[in-house]
Amino acid sequence: YEVADGVATITLDRPEVLNALTFAVYRELTDTMRALRDEREVRAVVITGEGRGFCSGGSVTEIIGPLLELKAPELLQFTRMTGELIGNIRALPKPVVAGINGVAAGAGAVIALACDLRVAVETAKIAFLFVRVGLAGADMGAAWLLPQVVGLGRATEILMLGEPVLAPAALQMGLFNRVVADAQAARATAHELALRLAKGPSFALGMTKTMLSQEANMSLEQALEAEAQAQQICMHTEDFREAHAAFVGKREPKFQGR
């Protein structure tokens, strides 16, 4: 975990197992995403991985095996915790950018999906593998999030077949926002995007993220009213006044997130 210039970078660092998740890492990520709400110096977040993979999902030996021995209440406790991680990423009122340096599979695919923007190396692939191991494709919010990004038809195909989506196809369908030459470029581009967002009006960006999530289940009339109220709130911020002052003064605005 590092913070520089308003950007917090979270790097999954188990490269020998393609950054597979353990129970402890799940919990730490979940708690970190919640704690970031109160870190005022952090205005944007990057999630990336060390080595050849972004995240290969839950560890076969440290999660999948032990799950076979758990009873129903314990299994539900675990699945709720994995969903809590995704909920915390989506509820964080700050932009989150995924720097996908390699394979993103299973839970790793959903973590990338939950981010606001995704930058991937051209050799990357994203795979929602749940049905291939006998689980529902609807896991950690994937069946809600993925149709929002790629549409119901493509989401159904991806979640039911469980086949990897290669970077060029993911870019074409909007699942990836940028595809770059190598892993170093993926991390650098993700950081550049996060830095650009960190310099922006963070209150307004947080409001935008909130409205994108909330309006998914609204009628047009409800969305119009919600946006009217959201915009009215933003019009009371110092950043709105600063944007006007900067325009009049022919200078770059200096947003404070207030």
Side-chain angles (χ1 to χ4, degrees), residues 2-3 6 67 73 93 96 124 129 133 141 147 179 203 212 227 229-230 234 249:
E2 299 175 300
V3 178
L67 288 179
V96 183
L129 300 172
V133 296
V179 170
F203 184 91
L212 283 168
E227 289 191 6
Q229 295 187 30
C234 288

Side-chain angles (χ1 to χ4, degrees), residues 48-71:
T48 190
E50 189 61 52
R52 298 182 296 108
F54 174 76
C55 176
S56 58
S59 168
V60 173
T61 57
E62 297 181 68
I63 287 185
I64 308 303
L67 288 179
L68 298 175
E69 307 301 323
L70 298 182
K71 297 185 183 299

Side-chain angles (χ1 to χ4, degrees), residues 55-255:
C55 176
S56 58
S59 168
V60 173
T61 57
E62 297 181 68
I63 287 185
I64 308 303
L67 288 179
L68 298 175
E69 307 301 323
L70 298 182
K71 297 185 183 299
E74 297 166 316
L75 289 171
L76 184 58
Q77 183 180 16
F78 168 71
T79 55
R80 283 175 170 165
M81 187 264 289
T82 65
E84 183 185 358
L85 167 58
I86 301 305
N88 285 353
I89 295 174
R90 295 307 307 153
L92 181 66
K94 303 172 184 183
V96 183
V97 182
I100 304 171
N101 52 299
V103 64
V110 189
I111 291 171
L113 176 64
C115 295
D116 301 295
L117 298 172
R118 286 161 293 281
V119 179
V121 61
E122 62 186 5
T123 56
K125 56 185 177 182
I126 185 166
F128 298 83
L129 300 172
F130 307 110
V131 295
R132 300 183 72 171
V133 296
L135 298 175
D139 190 63
M140 298 172 66
W144 190 93
L145 289 165
L146 194 57
Q148 304 290 334
V149 177
V150 303
L152 179 60
R154 288 189 184 276
T156 301
E157 179 180 358
I158 291 168
L159 294 180
M160 285 193 170
L161 294 180
E163 295 177 346
V165 181
L166 303 183
L171 178 65
Q172 184 179 35
M173 69 178 67
L175 185 50
F176 290 167
N177 299 93
R178 305 275 197 282
V179 170
V180 295
D182 54 41
Q184 183 177 355
R187 297 187 189 96
T189 303
H191 188 270
E192 288 168 7
L193 282 172
L195 186 59
R196 178 178 172 185
L197 291 164
K199 292 179 179 178
S202 56
F203 184 91
L205 291 172
M207 183 67 78
T208 302
K209 180 171 180 175
T210 297
M211 299 310 294
L212 283 168
S213 293
Q214 292 183 354
E215 290 184 41
N217 297 310
M218 293 182 185
S219 67
L220 175 60
E221 291 76 13
Q222 291 171 327
L224 289 170
E225 176 58 24
E227 289 191 6
Q229 295 187 30
Q231 206 68 301
Q232 177 265 326
I233 293 170
C234 288
M235 287 174 179
H236 275 285
T237 63
E238 294 180 20
D239 281 351
F240 181 59
R241 294 180 179 276
E242 167 61 13
H244 176 262
F247 178 82
V248 173
K250 298 181 179 180
R251 59 175 175 81
E252 289 294 318
K254 297 180 180 180
F255 296 118

